[in-house]
Amino acid sequence: MIAKPILVVIELEGGTPSGNSLELLAAAKVIANDPGNIVAVCLSDEIGENIDSELSSCGADKVILIDDPMFEPYQADAWVSELAVLSAELKPETILFPHSLAGAESAPRLAFRLNTAVVMACMSAERVNGTVHWTRSCYGGNAHEVISLNTTPAIATITAKSFDLLPINRDPVPVVENRLAVTKASDIRARVTVKSPGTDTGMNLENAEIVVSGGGGIGGPTQFEKLGELADLLSGAVGASRVACDLGWCPPSWQVGLSGKTVAPKLYIAIGISGAVHHLAGCHNSGTIVAINMDPEAEIFKSARFGVVADCNEFLPALIQEIQNHYSK
Amino acid sequence: MHIVVCVKPVPNPEIAPSVFRLDEEAKKIALLPGVSLVINPFDEQAVEAALCIRENSEDSDTVSITVLTMGENSSKKVIKHALALGVDKGVTLENSAFENSDSYAIAHALAAAIQKLDPVDLVLAGRQAVDTDAGIVGLGIAEILKLPAITLAKDIKMSGNEINVDRAVGDGTETMTTKLPAVVTVAHEFGAVRHPNLRETMRANKKPIETWGPEDIGVEIGSMGQVGLRRVVERIYQPVRKVDCEWLTGDDPTAVAKILAAKLAEEKFI
């Protein structure tokens, strides 16, 4: 008997698979019971050439390409209805999504449409006595939970950078199937009516390599100008704690934390931030944390590589000056 | 127009990590003294969204808002908070049969309650809860009730029988449109929330709170709680995260700033 397939939903960016999507193939390999049953599916109106060999060289045993204008722009209704039909036909054991904007909304909806369960934002997976155990973070990163799902198909979204790409198979033999979409226009009930690139200042936060964040301890909205100066100097982005956002010192889109954005820059400078669970949840995966706070007992220092106990009104100008000195050397 | 806002009580995320403990037996957070349950911050934003929709309505007298929650004890506190913000009515699903339900069962119970509250034009919820951090239940309700769904709202405008939602999608602006009834989940980009004032808090004491069990909403007890689990928590643990903080000290801010700049240069950040 051929094992039930693992269906991997590949998200395309400009016609090519997103990095996180390729990592899904590695996740699929980890949980695959039998070789030969990893099926990658692309839903797009712009499927690049050679995508079949790229996906099979990264671990897909079979590639299904559904090239249809129905999928541009991306709308969850189209994904969910197309994947529900495909799933009814292929009867996969597991369906994997990237934990992207699209995956985070399509996966739960598909789960309910197929009357099955879903586990979100998984960081690792292993097969234990035939059952897949998924590990994910909860309580703002303060706990990890290990989850199993007892209905099929099991649906999971996978957090980016959780799985290393498989070694490239340089001589892939892609098995490709081109299909037409079965989704009808009437299946799309919530439509994208306006789509435009924006200039929201908070938008670089999640991708920035350096983030400078301010909290209630910085003293007021004008201090965010100083933070901006420091961030510009470091080619970084400005973030904030919930306290600072709630006080109206900065736009809500700057918020880092449980009810805000999750960032993982190489360097995170936390200024006047006490370090509640709420905030650390959004930044604890940063490479290096530098904490600057008046209170030596502040929790943030427990997560910090470097700590400075200082009044940021005095320290910030000095730090900006010293970094300028460094650059002008 | 009737708006139902789904809210979840969660352990206060503003606690210090040092008081965070797990009850590994119960496979959840240990609610030690000092760890209170509060309204999920994203759901608080959904309440704010409902209040804004009513304020912006030409016919605000005809807009009623109900908050719906599930859970023992703490749920009343969360409902009272919402009532004090201006919500009209509260419903809580409280019964031992609901305890330890997974997101699948919770979505089914909430969907059944929403059907009982019918006519409902709009269901709002936060984009996710800050304890489980999953974002499943709101979308589950939409699927169960076969309603269109839009996630990550940062602005909501009503126009007749249509709803236009600006979404927080990171790389710019996206507006989605659908017909009511619909489910919309709200992001933190919606903006700051209001706080209860004395007048509304006094009025809140007179507002109705109903408590419903499985039989009130017509769900089978066998599909709920521990017995109905489709999603099993095998284990829960606190990850080890140890960082030794190197304290940078000096005679004055400039001296310390020099040391920090040198460290940043050493690590190639500057």
Side-chain angles (χ1 to χ4, degrees):
Chain A
M1 196 184 94
I2 297 168
K4 287 180 169 183
I6 296 172
L7 186 62
V8 175
V9 181
I10 300 291
E11 192 171 11
L12 302 185
E13 282 168 357
T16 59
S18 72
N20 188 5
S21 294
L22 293 177
E23 291 158 17
L24 296 184
L25 294 166
K29 207 66 152 188
V30 170
I31 59 166
N33 241 341
D34 290 288
N37 63 353
I38 299 174
V39 179
V41 58
C42 299
L43 310 174
S44 175
D45 79 322
E46 190 197 3
I47 295 181
E49 271 182 60
N50 303 327
I51 222 169
D52 46 353
S53 40
E54 183 176 8
L55 291 172
S56 53
S57 69
C58 286
D61 300 305
K62 182 178 173 180
V63 178
I64 297 177
L65 303 175
I66 310 181
D67 196 336
D68 198 295
M70 184 69 69
F71 302 117
E72 174 57 35
Y74 156 78
Q75 290 168 132
D77 284 342
W79 273 39
V80 175
S81 89
E82 192 69 30
L83 291 170
V85 172
L86 191 64
S87 177
E89 179 196 324
L90 300 179
K91 302 192 171 43
E93 180 203 55
T94 307
I95 305 176
L96 300 180
F97 284 86
H99 192 76
S100 59
L101 186 80
E105 64 180 3
S106 297
R109 290 185 54 190
L110 184 63
F112 280 87
R113 197 161 299 184
L114 298 175
N115 220 11
T116 185
V118 59
V119 55
M120 305 296 288
C122 301
M123 304 179 299
S124 67
E126 60 172 339
R127 206 175 262 276
V128 181
N129 302 327
T131 307
V132 179
H133 284 189
W134 307 92
T135 301
R136 64 185 300 276
S137 154
C138 57
Y139 296 113
N142 278 291
H144 288 174
E145 56 181 5
V146 181
I147 303 286
S148 65
L149 304 177
N150 55 22
T151 50
T152 49
I155 300 184
T157 70
I158 307 290
T159 301
K161 311 254 185 283
S162 300
F163 288 83
D164 292 329
L165 292 182
L166 295 170
I168 298 281
N169 171 6
R170 302 219 170 271
D171 200 13
V173 188
V175 179
V176 190
E177 196 180 307
N178 286 287
R179 293 186 176 216
L180 296 172
V182 293
T183 301
K184 301 182 296 293
S186 59
D187 294 326
I188 302 176
R189 296 202 288 163
R191 313 183 158 275
V192 174
T193 45
V194 182
K195 200 172 174 71
S196 58
T199 51
D200 184 351
T201 39
M203 75 176 180
N204 294 321
L205 199 50
E206 281 153 309
N207 301 325
E209 296 208 334
I210 296 181
V211 172
V212 179
S213 276
I218 67 168
T222 50
Q223 286 301 318
F224 269 102
E225 287 167 27
K226 277 269 172 252
L227 260 66
E229 214 178 300
L230 178 59
D232 286 346
L233 207 50
L234 298 168
S235 308
V238 181
S241 72
R242 184 163 84 150
V243 176
C245 293
D246 283 357
L247 287 166
W249 294 354
C250 60
S253 59
W254 292 13
Q255 191 191 126
V256 172
L258 260 181
S259 57
K261 293 196 162 74
T262 303
V263 300
K266 289 181 177 153
L267 173 65
Y268 189 84
I269 305 182
I271 305 172
I273 291 175
S274 63
V277 167
H278 180 282
H279 189 76
L280 289 174
C283 66
H284 68 76
N285 285 330
S286 305
T288 299
I289 296 180
V290 174
I292 302 160
N293 204 296
M294 285 271 265
D295 175 10
E297 301 292 322
E299 290 273 346
I300 188 81
F301 288 120
K302 290 184 184 154
S303 302
R305 172 84 180 79
F306 300 111
V308 175
V309 179
D311 177 347
C312 60
N313 291 330
E314 290 172 5
F315 185 72
L316 216 43
L319 182 61
I320 289 168
Q321 184 60 53
E322 288 305 323
I323 291 172
Q324 277 167 344
N325 291 350
H326 172 85
Y327 282 132
S328 57
K329 261 181 213 165
Chain B
M1 174 162 169
H2 184 196
I3 304 173
V4 174
V5 190
C6 301
V7 300
K8 179 181 182 182
V10 297
N12 191 346
E14 297 292 351
I15 58 168
S18 53
V19 300
F20 182 89
R21 294 282 182 283
L22 286 173
D23 180 344
E24 289 183 12
E25 195 99 339
K27 295 172 184 163
K28 55 186 169 191
I29 186 174
L31 291 173
L32 302 176
V35 186
S36 58
L37 289 163
V38 297
I39 183 170
N40 171 37
F42 288 116
D43 296 341
E44 199 174 10
Q45 233 116 17
V47 171
E48 177 68 29
L51 296 167
C52 289
I53 290 169
R54 178 163 66 189
E55 282 159 6
N56 295 334
S57 163
E58 283 170 14
D59 216 354
S60 60
D61 289 349
T62 64
V63 178
S64 71
I65 305 171
T66 303
V67 284
L68 173 62
T69 187
M70 176 189 268
E72 303 284 310
N73 309 322
S74 54
S75 59
K76 291 245 171 36
K77 177 184 150 194
V78 166
I79 287 182
K80 279 184 180 152
H81 178 78
L83 295 178
L85 293 171
V87 167
D88 303 304
K89 173 183 165 181
V91 173
T92 168
L93 306 182
E94 263 186 46
N95 192 285
S96 54
F98 294 137
E99 265 177 57
N100 298 320
S101 289
D102 60 15
S103 46
Y104 185 87
I106 292 169
H108 276 274
L110 294 175
I114 290 165
Q115 276 179 314
K116 190 177 157 100
L117 287 165
D118 211 42
V120 173
D121 303 283
L122 179 62
V123 178
L124 296 175
R127 59 178 281 189
Q128 65 202 52
V130 300
D131 53 354
T132 46
D133 226 353
I136 298 172
V137 170
L139 292 167
I141 291 169
E143 285 294 322
I144 295 161
L145 298 176
K146 299 193 166 32
L147 298 178
I150 300 176
T151 60
L152 302 173
K154 61 174 180 181
D155 193 26
I156 300 174
K157 286 194 179 64
M158 313 298 295
S159 138
N161 193 32
E162 275 192 349
I163 180 166
N164 298 296
V165 177
D166 288 349
R167 305 178 71 206
V169 291
D171 58 345
T173 315
E174 180 174 292
T175 305
M176 290 191 81
T177 302
T178 194
K179 288 209 161 50
L180 297 177
V183 174
V184 175
T185 75
V186 181
H188 73 274
E189 282 89 348
F190 196 89
V193 297
R194 68 195 66 197
H195 299 288
N197 61 41
L198 189 62
R199 186 173 147 267
E200 285 291 346
T201 307
M202 302 282 279
R203 284 184 54 192
N205 287 327
K206 298 195 185 70
K207 293 177 183 172
I209 300 179
E210 290 183 31
T211 305
W212 295 348
E215 65 286 355
D216 296 306
I217 53 173
V219 296
E220 279 177 44
I221 289 177
S223 67
M224 305 298 303
Q226 200 73 36
V227 287
L229 289 183
R230 287 157 176 259
R231 176 188 189 280
V232 178
V233 182
E234 302 281 347
R235 196 155 43 91
I236 189 163
Y237 61 94
Q238 274 185 269
V240 181
R241 202 185 299 140
K242 185 149 174 52
V243 188
D244 284 321
C245 182
E246 184 179 339
W247 298 95
L248 309 181
T249 55
D251 292 336
D252 57 57
T254 303
V256 183
K258 250 191 195 31
I259 300 170
L260 180 53
K263 293 283 181 195
L264 296 179
E266 214 173 279
E267 309 260 341
K268 307 253 185 294
F269 291 127
I270 58 175

